[in-house]
Amino acid sequence: MSTTLNEQRNETSVPIHEALAQRWSPRGYDAEYVVAAEDLKALGEAARWAPSASNLQPTRFIVAARGTETFEAILGTLMDFNSAWTPRASLLIVAVAERERDGKRLRWAEYDLGQAVAHLSIEATSRGLHVRQMGGFHVDALRAAFDLAPVLEPVSVVAVGKLAEADDLPDLIRERDAAPRTRRPLEDLTIVRDA
Ligand SMILES: Cc1cc2nc3c(=O)[nH]c(=O)nc-3n(C[C@H](O)[C@H](O)[C@H](O)COP(=O)(O)O)c2cc1C
């Protein structure tokens, strides 16, 4: 029988929200799956309603479905170690931070962008989709491919898709996705705890 990988809940000391407990970042996507228009819109809405410093909303996206020229253009900017698994994703989304507006630096632009992508990821999880973010792309190539203005900083590329059946995956992807996922203990995150 076919199975999907790593679908166990993230281990926590107390229960957390189901979508957070289930979220993980696979590489093994169903290469035929098409994300429904409503799901795509919901990912955008989740990102749109993320908080941002002074509500300046510096988040920008380049969104591409597999099979489009834009998808291929993004693929062409990825580092080699990301090229093996990304063509299977349903969507590639470039997460771009507007770092400056009206001559003023937006100091929290990348922070706000990350938060928007986190919201998008959780919305995706709640809809049975998965997300894997990538910092491994060639920034200058991506800038050139989309003629990005200097104030627009491409920060990550986000792959979105449906988890494939393990049997349908190339060995390399299946093995990497089956590797144990670990976290530092909660205490390691805390500098001071007085609560
Ligand atoms: C900013 C950022 C950059 C990342 N870059 C890559 C990448 O280039 N390639 C990749 O395969 N995974 C990348 N990842 C995925 C992480 O390796 C992954 O989130 C981490 O190992 C934790 O696993 P989990 O998301 O399944 O909990 C990146 C994640 C983030 C948030």
Side-chain angles (χ1 to χ4, degrees):
M1 197 183 78
S2 269
T3 51
T4 48
L5 294 163
N6 252 329
E7 284 300 80
Q8 82 281 6
R9 295 170 54 87
N10 296 329
E11 181 247 310
T12 55
S13 52
V14 294
I16 60 173
H17 192 285
E18 196 57 26
L20 293 166
Q22 286 180 352
R23 189 211 61 78
W24 70 292
S25 305
R27 301 173 184 82
Y29 293 104
D30 178 340
E32 305 299 320
Y33 188 79
V34 174
V35 171
E38 181 166 327
D39 286 340
L40 175 55
K41 207 166 249 184
L43 301 187
E45 291 292 2
R48 186 167 79 96
W49 279 98
S52 64
S54 302
N55 200 24
L56 288 172
Q57 305 171 63
T59 293
R60 301 287 180 272
F61 293 126
I62 297 166
V63 182
R66 191 184 51 248
T68 63
E69 274 181 27
T70 309
F71 189 96
E72 291 300 317
I74 299 169
L75 271 186
T77 69
L78 298 180
M79 291 185 179
D80 285 349
F81 60 91
N82 285 322
S83 299
W85 60 271
T86 34
R88 306 179 65 93
S90 302
L91 302 169
L92 289 177
I93 302 175
V94 185
V96 179
E98 183 188 3
R99 288 209 297 193
E100 194 184 305
R101 192 179 296 165
D102 302 329
K104 275 185 65 182
R105 179 178 161 234
L106 304 189
R107 187 178 152 206
W108 291 282
E110 282 94 345
Y111 184 95
D112 293 339
L113 175 70
Q115 190 146 218
V117 173
H119 284 218
L120 179 157
S121 304
I122 295 304
E123 182 64 32
T125 308
S126 78
R127 289 173 174 264
L129 299 170
H130 286 77
V131 166
R132 189 172 180 96
Q133 302 173 47
M134 285 168 271
F137 64 94
H138 298 285
V139 176
D140 291 344
L142 199 140
R143 283 191 163 288
F146 294 99
D147 198 17
L148 290 180
V151 295
L152 295 178
E153 181 69 19
V155 176
S156 64
V157 178
V158 182
V160 181
K162 191 82 162 180
L163 198 62
E165 297 289 330
D167 293 351
D168 296 339
L169 289 170
D171 290 348
L172 194 67
I173 296 179
R174 184 174 53 244
E175 283 160 19
R176 293 181 78 186
D177 275 359
R181 296 173 50 249
T182 59
R183 284 300 191 269
R184 302 168 74 166
L186 186 53
E187 300 73 51
D188 279 16
L189 275 61
T190 312
I191 297 171
V192 174
R193 180 172 172 186
D194 189 15

